[in-house]
Structure formats: C-alpha cells, structure tokens
Amino acid sequence: MTLQPFLALGAILFGIGLFGALTRRNAIIVLISIEMMLNASNINLVAFSHFAVNVTIDGLVYALFNIALAGAEVAVGLAILLAIFRAKNSNDIRDMNSMKW
Amino acid sequence: MFFGVPITGATIAFFVLALIIIASGVFLMSLQKVMHMALALGGVFLGVAGIFFLLGADFVAVVQIMIYAGAITILMVFALTLTQTGDDTEPSGHIVHKVVAFLVSAVIVVAVLLTVKATPWPVGQVGVQPFGPNVVAEIGKAMFHVYTIPFELVSLVLTVALVGAAVIARKEEE
C-alpha cells in the first residue's frame, strides 16, 4: 500500500461531510456531518504517521487528542441543541437565527 | 494490477473498507429518515476503525470503536429521539442551495485529490507493523513524557465541556 489511497479516502469522506453540513436542515445531522469531517482528518493523521520516513508515534497521539476533543464537542453541541429545542420546540437549523443581526 | 495498485490482502481490505465508508456516507446524505442516518453513521465509524487496524494503529482503532461507534452514535440516537417533532423525515431544502453546496464540496475534493496525486510523497520503510509490537506502551510514553501538558489541557477541556454540557442541558428552574 502507498500513502495516496488513504489521503484520497480522507478527502472523499471530508467532502461528504462538508456537503452534509452545508445542506442539512436538522441540526443534529449537521453535527454528525462535522464528526465525519473530523474522522477524515483522523484517517490522514494516522496514515501520515504510518507512511512517514522516520516512523513516530506522534500521529496516533494527535488522533487520540482529536477524538477526545470531538467527544467534548459533541457533548456541548448536543446540550446546546437540547436547550434550543426546549426553548423553540424545533430542531431546524433555520430557526436558530435569533442572535443574527 | 488494478488501477496501478498490486492486488494483495491489504489492498483488498482497503478497497472493501473504503467502499463501506463511502457507501455509508452517501446513504447518510441520501436517506430521509433521521434514525436510518444514525445507523449509517455507525457504518462510517466502524469502517474508519477498520482503516486504523489496517494502518497498524490498533489502539486508536479500539478507541475509535469505543468512543465513536459506541458512545457518540448512541448519543446522537438519544438526541434524535429527544428532539423529534412529529414527522421524522428531513424537509428537502432549496434545490439551488443543494447544487451550490455540491459544487463547493466537489471543487474542494477534486482540488485535494489532484494535489495528492501530483505531490511526490517521500517513501519510507513501510512495514505491516511500523509502530512496533507494543503500540500502547509507546503511546503511553509519548503521552506522559512528550505531550504531558497537552494531555493535561485536554483533560481540563473535557472536564469543563462535560460540566458545561450538564449546566446547559439542565432544565431551568423558576
């Protein structure tokens, strides 16, 4: 195996996530799409670490940090979405514009 | 040879996993019921975990299965069921919006793919297990010797985020 197929897979997964984040109306699905984009970056980190000239463990550590921060992001994001749902009774991303000027 | 790639066990595994990931991602974007989307999300996460196994990063793969495929997918399902507004189908948006979004994503993906193809990547000594036999011990050493301060910062961020999430999601009292 070479490096390029893994980078290509990461790029395609990122593209799918970007399309979902731009088009979806349900706020939770937008959050899911962002998770997919983070996963694509994790694939790239691990692939670069695996195929480096001087193999180090650093890429795996970065990927683990990335996973931990993604978990924190999901927790806060879902809490905010639940609070908005309680206040507005809607999970449509177009209804979340009351702070827009 | 298949597209210039020699057919080995690793190559076949990679193509099967890539097919699973991309098919689940496309299903995720095309399905209408939100609960089916959550199931497709599990497919994406498990496929990415398989890619990590293929790259010799066993520990990251297991963490991926536990946190993403286990915790985050279930959390998303809970959130989807808690914020159900009657009809569980996604309203279809404006068609122009979708076309523009598709064009933007496609341009970015094609640009990245062309760059990946054109760049001469340095090739090192690639083995099946480049990280050595005990990856977990190496990760532990790296985390607690080299990356001690980032590790502590991540734990601080996690604590603050979880407390903040509990405070935000709590029902406000009169």
Side-chain angles (χ1 to χ4, degrees):
Chain A
M1 290 299 289
T2 54
L3 176 62
Q4 284 93 335
F6 292 96
L7 298 188
L9 178 65
I12 291 169
L13 189 60
F14 184 87
I16 294 173
L18 182 61
F19 178 71
L22 288 176
T23 54
R24 283 300 171 163
R25 302 292 187 208
N26 190 327
I28 296 170
I29 305 294
V30 173
L31 212 59
I32 287 175
S33 304
I34 294 172
E35 288 304 310
M36 282 170 64
M37 287 152 77
L38 283 168
N39 248 303
S41 74
N42 281 349
I43 291 180
N44 274 20
L45 284 171
V46 176
F48 275 123
S49 188
H50 182 277
F51 290 102
V53 177
N54 298 314
V55 173
T56 60
I57 208 85
D58 293 350
L60 307 191
V61 178
Y62 293 159
L64 287 172
F65 284 158
N66 208 348
I67 289 173
L69 291 178
E73 178 237 321
V74 165
V76 176
L78 287 180
I80 292 174
L81 289 183
L82 283 181
I84 291 175
F85 182 77
R86 202 173 286 141
K88 299 197 163 206
N89 204 25
S90 159
N91 57 9
D92 195 319
I93 201 124
R94 288 168 296 181
D95 294 337
M96 301 175 190
N97 57 0
S98 46
M99 288 178 80
K100 194 166 138 191
W101 55 282
Chain B
M1 299 290 275
F2 179 70
F3 289 127
V5 180
I7 293 178
T8 59
T11 320
I12 294 169
F14 173 79
F15 277 111
V16 170
L17 287 169
L19 190 70
I20 289 173
I21 292 172
I22 294 171
S24 303
V26 172
F27 272 132
L28 191 61
M29 291 307 131
S30 57
L31 288 173
Q32 285 301 310
K33 293 209 169 198
V34 287
M35 206 52 75
H36 297 170
M37 292 179 199
L39 290 179
L41 183 73
V44 173
F45 289 158
L46 287 177
V48 174
I51 292 286
F52 289 160
F53 274 121
L54 191 62
L55 286 168
D58 305 358
F59 184 66
V60 184
V62 172
V63 168
Q64 163 93 11
I65 290 176
M66 283 199 303
I67 294 184
Y68 272 110
I72 289 184
T73 309
I74 298 301
L75 208 60
M76 292 289 183
V77 170
F78 269 121
L80 285 170
T81 49
L82 280 175
T83 62
Q84 208 70 273
T85 51
D87 71 313
D88 60 343
T89 53
E90 175 99 335
S92 57
H94 209 262
I95 188 73
V96 178
H97 182 118
K98 278 198 169 169
V99 169
V100 171
F102 179 78
L103 285 179
V104 169
S105 328
V107 165
I108 291 177
V109 170
V110 169
V112 173
L113 288 180
L114 289 178
T115 314
V116 166
K117 195 167 162 49
T119 310
W121 299 103
V123 180
Q125 291 284 330
V126 178
V128 180
Q129 282 285 359
F131 303 118
N134 43 2
V135 190
V136 183
E138 291 291 319
I139 289 178
K141 276 182 205 154
M143 263 196 188
F144 292 112
H145 290 162
V146 186
Y147 296 102
T148 316
I149 293 175
F151 178 76
E152 296 297 337
L153 285 178
V154 165
S155 56
L156 185 69
V157 167
L158 268 179
T159 312
V160 171
L162 291 182
V163 173
V167 169
I168 292 171
R170 197 185 51 185
K171 194 167 264 176
E172 283 178 33
E173 283 159 33
E174 300 297 318

